[in-house]
Amino acid sequence: MDIFNPATETLITTIQEDTPASAHEKYERVRRSQPAWHQTPLSERIAAVAQFAELLSSQKDELAKTLTQEMGKPLNQSHNEIKGAAGRIQYFVENSEKWLAEEVVTEEEGLVEKIVYEPLGVIANISAWNYPYLVGVNVFVPALIAGNAVLYKPSEYTTLTGLKIGELFHQAGIPKDVFQVVTGGGEVGKALLNLPLDGYFFTGSNRTGQHIYEAVASRMVPCQMELGGKDPLYVPNDNANVAQVAQAAAEGAFYNNGQSCCAVERIYVHQAIYDEFLEAFTQEVQQFKLGNPEEDGVFIGPLARQEQIAVLEQQVQDALDKGAQLLTGGKKADRTGYYFEPTVLTEVNHQMQLMREESFGPVIGIQRVADDDEGIALMQDTDYGLTSAVYCDTQETAEEILAKIDSGSAYWNCCDRVSATLPWSGRKKSGFGSTLSYQGIRTFTQPKAYHLRSNHG
């Protein structure tokens, strides 16, 4: 498998990818090793994961450079991701013992009822390229702590990062046959679906997620989907500093080149402040520096995948054909690499692909609304349900609006944000199940109910 740098289109390296046969061999190894890992004291499993976090931090410069070179994320954003992953791991290290402990729910004379949390067994983590450390940590860290063995398939667009994650886990004390990296593209992914695994955890597109869900349904094992979004942001007429809101919204839409499932993908602004917002937003976007992601000050690097350029071009052209106005950007950048200019369109509506289909790139549509009721209706008009955001001065206003939106996460005066202490979950086409928080610790377990009655006879 050839691995290219999306900023320069040059070959980084070539690696030998897995085959269905080698994937099956790795499965057999982790299957044999999982019971012993489960019997390893919880404190030792947690200590190994804590050591993994230490290794991430100590090698952050090398890891960040590798990530930037293979998927195009600006170098400072790669550092931010690795730092964020270490922080999430700390949450699991500090909280897993509490949430994995057995719970005695009834204790009376002659009867004890308790819940014990047992691992699922061997799970597959089919992960994403846009935040390989962050979305990976959500799954493989609590899975390992809970006593599971893991077959980890990184995206083919971040294979080198995935292999490095495996190396660091083994250095940290996770047995090699408890965490195995499976590399390759679609063929290897399909091979994992044919293995008798005890759970599947996927992060990626709705289309692929639906295929995985259908493929493993007959197996009756947990299958959790963290899928895409078409995340709305609404700005009501309850704002004293519109320019500041516009700057925050622009970062939420264009950070990581818009390649985030919780990036702002569509914006609605109350008509009373629409013009002021639009001017400030466009000015902010036009200041974003586009260039080589290894250079200082670059905010917009290349897209990770060349084929996404055609998707963005199609969305922009469709919007223009239906009456949208282009304020800035709108086309592939005139330079080597998979670059697309940061793009802002206005006079948009929900007849346009731009406002209905996931963009996953540096493009945004901004729509004027008459009042809060119209803003809420448009936010709700989607097949997705990952996040929603409201920027305004009054918490009461924000919560009143957000309570009416069908999404897994709700933001007031923030966006494109994930917290280890809160569950991360989608609705509708954005998927189902939870990672993070105490719920994301127990996601990788199966409860066993004990009914213990003493024999007084």
Side-chain angles (χ1 to χ4, degrees):
M1 181 168 62
D2 293 334
I3 299 174
F4 291 90
N5 184 326
T8 62
E9 302 184 46
T10 56
L11 181 68
I12 298 174
T13 189
T14 299
I15 68 162
Q16 180 62 50
E17 61 183 306
D18 276 293
T19 64
S22 65
H24 188 272
E25 179 188 353
K26 290 180 176 180
Y27 162 76
E28 293 291 348
R29 288 161 59 183
V30 297
R31 172 64 74 190
R32 288 192 297 268
S33 301
Q34 187 273 328
W37 177 243
H38 178 210
Q39 294 305 313
T40 301
L42 176 60
S43 60
E44 293 183 22
R45 301 199 301 262
I46 291 175
V49 167
Q51 180 60 27
F52 171 71
E54 290 292 327
L55 291 171
L56 282 182
S57 297
S58 66
Q59 299 185 32
K60 61 182 183 299
D61 291 343
E62 175 193 346
L63 300 175
K65 185 174 182 180
T66 297
L67 178 57
T68 290
Q69 288 180 343
E70 69 175 339
M71 70 76 61
K73 189 191 302 278
L75 193 56
N76 71 311
Q77 295 183 22
S78 291
H79 276 282
N80 290 343
E81 179 179 352
I82 294 167
K83 181 180 178 180
R88 287 192 195 174
I89 294 170
Q90 189 65 28
Y91 171 82
F92 290 121
V93 165
E94 294 176 352
N95 291 278
S96 291
E97 189 170 1
K98 172 183 177 181
W99 296 107
L100 294 175
E102 67 176 43
E103 294 179 83
V104 176
V105 293
T106 302
E107 191 168 18
E108 56 190 41
E109 186 174 355
L111 177 66
V112 172
E113 296 175 335
K114 68 178 183 178
I115 306 168
V116 172
Y117 294 94
E118 299 180 342
L120 297 173
V122 178
I123 67 142
N125 177 201
I126 304 172
S127 199
W129 52 263
N130 58 333
Y131 285 99
Y133 288 101
L134 289 175
V135 299
V137 158
N138 293 358
V139 175
F140 50 59
V141 164
L144 289 167
I145 288 176
N148 298 279
V150 178
L151 282 179
Y152 170 59
K153 184 196 173 300
S155 165
E156 56 267 42
Y157 297 99
T158 47
T159 298
L160 300 180
T161 292
L163 289 169
K164 196 63 182 178
I165 286 171
E167 290 177 19
L168 295 183
F169 265 132
H170 300 153
Q171 289 178 30
I174 306 291
K176 286 188 176 181
D177 287 348
V178 167
F179 186 90
Q180 280 285 317
V181 181
V182 181
T183 61
E187 183 182 1
V188 176
K190 290 178 182 177
L192 293 180
L193 306 185
N194 294 325
L195 296 173
L197 294 162
D198 302 307
Y200 292 84
F201 296 83
F202 171 73
T203 303
S205 70
N206 172 269
R207 181 178 178 181
T208 303
Q210 183 174 337
H211 170 75
I212 292 173
Y213 190 47
E214 292 172 350
V216 304
S218 63
R219 234 163 280 161
M220 303 288 284
V221 296
C223 182
Q224 186 163 298
M225 299 284 117
E226 182 182 326
L227 308 179
K230 192 65 184 174
D231 303 327
L233 182 151
Y234 174 49
V235 187
N237 189 27
D238 175 20
N239 274 284
N241 194 331
V242 175
Q244 181 177 325
V245 172
Q247 291 168 0
E251 181 171 352
F254 291 96
Y255 190 86
N256 198 32
N257 226 351
Q259 298 171 127
S260 172
C261 56
C262 57
V264 175
E265 288 247 348
R266 49 199 175 103
I267 298 175
Y268 307 99
V269 184
H270 192 286
Q271 60 184 356
I273 56 174
Y274 178 79
D275 291 337
E276 182 182 359
F277 178 92
L278 204 60
E279 180 180 2
F281 186 96
T282 305
Q283 287 179 355
E284 181 70 13
V285 172
Q286 289 172 337
Q287 293 173 12
F288 290 154
K289 182 179 178 181
L290 181 149
N292 189 311
E294 296 187 56
E295 294 178 4
D296 290 341
V298 168
F299 188 74
I300 302 291
L303 294 163
R305 300 175 299 160
Q306 184 178 20
E307 57 267 30
Q308 193 65 15
I309 292 174
V311 174
L312 300 179
E313 288 174 336
Q314 166 63 28
Q315 287 193 358
V316 170
Q317 190 59 53
D318 173 75
L320 294 175
D321 290 345
K322 294 173 180 174
Q325 292 185 12
L326 180 65
L327 299 185
T328 189
K331 64 183 185 301
K332 182 183 184 302
D334 185 18
R335 59 180 295 153
T336 300
Y338 312 149
Y339 290 89
F340 198 89
E341 297 175 348
T343 300
V344 180
L345 295 114
T346 186
E347 303 301 327
V348 295
N349 59 59
H350 280 216
Q351 303 304 311
M352 301 172 183
Q353 298 170 13
L354 176 70
M355 301 299 283
R356 303 200 64 84
E357 300 175 8
E358 191 172 27
S359 299
F360 228 66
V363 302
I364 193 73
I366 304 176
Q367 186 169 350
R368 183 198 319 260
V369 299
D371 51 32
D372 291 352
D373 288 342
E374 185 181 9
I376 292 168
L378 290 169
M379 292 174 81
Q380 278 285 75
D381 183 25
T382 180
D383 293 330
Y384 295 93
L386 192 58
T387 79
S388 53
V390 172
Y391 276 73
C392 62
D393 294 341
T394 310
Q395 181 175 346
E396 182 180 1
T397 298
E399 290 203 54
E400 183 179 336
I401 293 170
L402 291 168
K404 298 174 182 177
I405 308 301
D406 189 15
S407 64
S409 292
Y411 300 130
W412 175 45
N413 289 343
C414 57
C415 58
D416 192 20
R417 182 181 189 274
V418 182
S419 169
T421 62
L422 294 174
W424 185 250
S425 60
R427 301 182 181 181
K428 300 186 285 187
K429 284 189 175 182
S430 291
F432 48 85
S434 295
T435 54
L436 298 176
S437 79
Y438 76 89
Q439 296 183 27
I441 294 172
R442 289 181 170 171
T443 287
F444 301 94
T445 68
Q446 46 194 344
K448 179 177 283 185
Y450 280 82
H451 306 248
L452 305 174
R453 188 179 294 279
S454 62
N455 185 353
H456 294 292

